[in-house]
Amino acid sequence: MKTLITSTEDKLNAAFDKRFGRAAWFCVLDESTGETAFYPNENINATGGAGTKAAEKVVELGVGKIISGDFGPKAKELLNKFNIQMVIIEEEDLSVKEIVERIKK
Amino acid sequence: MARPKSLRKVVKPPGFKGYKPYGASGTKGEAVELLYEEYEALKLADYDLMSHQEASELMGVSRATFARIYERARRKMAKALVEVKEIKSVYGHAWLDKSWFVCNHCDARFTMPSTMKERSCPVCKSFCIESLTDDK
């Protein structure tokens, strides 16, 4: 299964982005191979509907689980509809790499 | 026509169906109906000791509306005590922030889509998870 982690930069030791719709990058981890890929979020500066567009992108990428700091009501509704699991981590100063390692363990 | 009430978010419904006075010479009249949102308001303000501003944001209503809900909750409690009435918890205008779970191991919070088979934490795989809203 693929897992998406919101990231501030396009590298593994980047800080975890706690926003979903307005995260800078999406890190997609393939749990079966352990490989990661980074996708830019084109809607980071959108005036509205960033969460909805991000959720659409997630569906497109075929992700089953998203790890972020918070989800807006619209994104939540859409992700629920597509049976995509939402995970909220509220810890400060976490890197994408640390989250990836927690999942792999 | 009156404006429809916006739904109040309730994180956890009350863990009881009602309260009954005992040692009283029979309860009189109807039970006092405490709405979920009134219970939540009372809990946030007087148990979690939040400010009305914080609590109203959590419930997704304005501060003034929160104050009214809270006021009603207190009056109902007082009425039940003074007039020796039963308290019943009723649903009211709430929507429950359902389907959220918390992992007791790594503190991650997550949803559980109906297609999920494993009931474990998506981050640390711990089975030590708990629903944030237990449906009792």
Side-chain angles (χ1 to χ4, degrees):
Chain A
M1 188 176 72
K2 283 187 188 169
T3 300
L4 188 147
I5 303 161
T6 48
S7 170
T8 49
E9 286 169 85
D10 59 341
K11 49 184 191 237
L12 268 181
N13 45 13
F16 168 55
D17 201 325
K18 286 193 167 181
R19 300 160 306 170
F20 171 59
R22 292 182 200 282
W25 291 82
F26 295 136
C27 170
V28 176
L29 164 75
D30 191 325
E31 285 191 35
S32 49
T33 61
E35 278 168 38
T36 51
F38 285 85
Y39 300 89
N41 180 8
E42 295 101 352
N43 306 304
I44 182 164
N45 292 319
T47 44
T52 312
K53 283 177 193 141
E56 282 166 5
K57 171 128 189 171
V58 165
V59 174
E60 224 172 90
L61 290 169
V63 167
K65 170 162 102 191
I66 305 172
I67 303 180
S68 191
D70 196 18
F71 298 91
K74 284 181 199 155
K76 229 179 236 177
E77 197 189 313
L78 209 65
L79 295 172
N80 264 335
K81 207 157 70 187
F82 284 99
N83 286 319
I84 294 168
Q85 186 173 37
M86 285 168 269
V87 184
I88 295 177
I89 298 183
E90 281 184 331
E91 274 167 70
E92 301 287 335
D93 304 321
L94 215 56
S95 75
V96 173
K97 201 173 168 197
E98 284 172 282
I99 297 175
V100 168
E101 275 161 8
R102 271 189 212 179
I103 297 172
K104 280 186 187 168
K105 226 184 322 185
Chain B
M1 198 183 94
R3 193 173 175 275
K5 283 200 167 66
S6 65
L7 292 180
R8 293 88 164 93
K9 185 166 131 190
V10 173
V11 176
K12 197 172 178 173
F16 57 87
K17 287 264 187 292
Y19 278 98
K20 239 180 190 165
Y22 75 95
S25 52
T27 52
K28 290 166 277 174
E30 279 168 32
V32 167
E33 294 189 335
L34 187 69
L35 306 184
Y36 274 20
E37 68 261 32
E38 290 164 356
Y39 162 82
E40 180 83 351
L42 205 61
K43 170 180 170 281
L44 294 178
D46 293 337
Y47 184 81
D48 296 331
L49 304 178
M50 279 188 191
S51 75
H52 285 193
Q53 187 64 46
E54 288 172 303
S56 67
E57 280 164 19
L58 207 91
M59 285 178 73
V61 295
S62 71
R63 195 203 46 79
T65 303
F66 176 83
R68 271 195 303 276
I69 298 171
Y70 174 64
E71 178 88 44
R72 260 204 317 272
R74 277 191 4 247
R75 290 195 178 168
K76 283 188 182 176
M77 295 303 290
K79 187 180 165 132
L81 293 181
V82 174
E83 298 182 11
V84 198
K85 283 181 188 298
E86 281 178 32
I87 301 168
K88 255 197 225 154
S89 74
V90 274
Y91 200 88
H93 309 279
W95 67 271
L96 297 175
D97 198 356
K98 245 188 184 168
S99 69
W100 283 95
F101 292 80
V102 64
C103 172
N104 290 327
H105 189 70
C106 70
D107 285 331
R109 283 185 290 144
F110 50 93
T111 60
M112 204 60 107
S114 48
T115 47
M116 288 300 265
K117 283 184 199 82
E118 270 180 85
R119 310 286 285 177
S120 64
C121 171
V123 181
C124 67
K125 311 281 187 295
S126 161
F127 285 97
C128 194
I129 63 170
E130 202 182 321
S131 171
L132 283 175
T133 47
D134 25 27
D135 310 88
K136 271 170 205 157

